[in-house]
Amino acid sequence: DIQMTQSPSLLSASVGDRVTLSCKASQNIYKYLNWYQQKLGEAPKLLIYYTNSLQTGIPSRFSGSGSGTDYTLTISSLQPEDVATYFCQQYNSWPNTFGAGTKLELK
Amino acid sequence: QVQLQQSGAELAKPGSSVKISCKASGYTFTSYDISWIKQTTGQGLEYIGYINTGSGGTYYNEKFKGKATLTVDKSSSTAFMQLSSLTPEDTAVYYCARQELRVPDYWGQGVMVTVSS
C-alpha cells in the first residue's frame, strides 16, 4: 500500500495567516490526491480533488498544488471556522490510503 | 441536496455481526458508487472498499476481505455493510460516502460500532 505522510501533525496559526499543509506519498501518485477537512464530531468534507480542483461550495481561500510524491494544501487567509483536522488521500493505487492528518488550531 | 443518512450506533458482542445502512437521497443512486471508510483514533482513516450501485460489483481492500460485505438495495437507494466475526479491533466509526471517479465526495454522518462483552 502507498503510505501517505502528513506534516506537521499539529499546526498553530493566527487568523489571517497563510497556512501550508504538506502531504508526501511513498511513491508517485500522479496527482490523484484529495484533501479533506474534518471538524470535531463531524464527517470528513471534501475540499480539493485531483490535487488542485476545488470542490463545489468550498471557499476560494483553499487551494492545492503538487505533483509526483509531494503535495500541499494552502489556506490563503486563515479563518476561525478553519479549525479542524485535514487529511490527504491518494487514489492512484488500490487501496486508497489516507494520511494521519494535520490538526490546525488557532494561536 | 446530496445526503447520506446512516443507521444508528451499534453495541455488539465479540464474535457477532452487525449490518449498518446508508440511505442516499438528492441524486440518482445508481449513477455513483458507494464507498465505506473506517476511522479509529489509532489507525486513522482506512478505506474498506466500494460497491458499484448499478451492477452490485464490489471492490475490497485486502485487509477487509472476509470482514466486510457490501450490498445495495436499489429500490430503496440504500447501501449496506455487514461486519462479521467482530473483535474489539473493529470498534470504530464507519462512514459511507458517495464516490465519483474513485473520489469519495459526500459522506454520511458515521456510525459508531462498539464491540465489547
Side-chain angles (χ1 to χ4, degrees):
Chain A
D1 297 0
I2 293 179
Q3 306 304 311
M4 305 299 292
T5 303
Q6 291 188 244
S7 61
S9 55
L10 176 64
L11 180 60
S12 296
S14 301
V15 173
D17 281 354
R18 183 180 181 87
V19 171
T20 300
L21 286 63
S22 295
C23 178
K24 186 175 182 67
S26 59
Q27 59 187 268
N28 193 338
I29 56 171
Y30 302 97
K31 296 191 172 185
Y32 289 101
L33 189 284
N34 302 324
W35 289 96
Y36 295 89
Q37 175 193 66
Q38 186 175 33
K39 297 183 178 179
L40 198 62
E42 297 183 5
K45 177 194 292 187
L46 178 66
L47 300 176
I48 302 280
Y49 60 95
Y50 195 60
T51 294
N52 56 15
S53 296
L54 195 66
Q55 173 69 342
T56 303
I58 301 302
S60 59
R61 65 179 179 272
F62 292 93
S63 63
S65 63
S67 63
T69 61
D70 296 306
Y71 297 85
T72 298
L73 174 70
T74 299
I75 307 173
S76 60
S77 177
L78 185 67
Q79 300 302 302
E81 61 266 31
D82 300 334
V83 168
T85 300
Y86 293 83
F87 297 95
C88 61
Q89 180 221 357
Q90 69 81 23
Y91 60 109
N92 177 67
S93 296
W94 184 257
N96 296 358
T97 49
F98 293 85
T102 291
K103 186 175 182 179
L104 179 58
E105 63 177 28
L106 289 179
K107 194 180 292 183
Chain B
Q1 71 281 24
V2 175
Q3 287 191 322
L4 296 170
Q5 183 64 41
Q6 297 186 242
S7 48
E10 298 272 2
L11 174 60
K13 294 194 183 303
S16 69
S17 298
V18 296
K19 189 172 185 178
I20 59 181
S21 65
C22 171
K23 183 172 176 58
S25 60
Y27 71 97
T28 302
F29 182 66
T30 51
S31 294
Y32 299 82
D33 300 330
I34 293 288
S35 57
W36 292 86
I37 298 102
K38 178 183 181 181
Q39 186 170 33
T40 59
T41 304
Q43 300 282 24
L45 290 159
E46 296 180 278
Y47 195 82
I48 296 170
Y50 71 95
I51 185 165
N52 181 309
T53 55
S55 67
T58 52
Y59 306 83
Y60 293 98
N61 181 341
E62 195 70 29
K63 179 177 178 179
F64 292 95
K65 283 184 178 177
K67 171 61 63 179
T69 303
L70 307 182
T71 56
V72 293
D73 176 7
K74 289 189 277 189
S75 68
S76 63
S77 299
T78 303
F80 301 91
M81 178 173 68
Q82 178 163 317
L83 299 170
S84 61
S85 303
L86 290 169
T87 72
E89 288 67 43
D90 297 316
T91 294
V93 177
Y94 292 88
Y95 294 100
C96 64
R98 190 184 81 162
Q99 179 169 289
E100 181 177 28
L101 299 176
R102 294 158 52 207
V103 176
D105 56 3
Y106 292 91
W107 295 48
Q109 83 275 20
V111 174
M112 180 71 214
V113 175
T114 304
V115 182
S116 174
S117 54

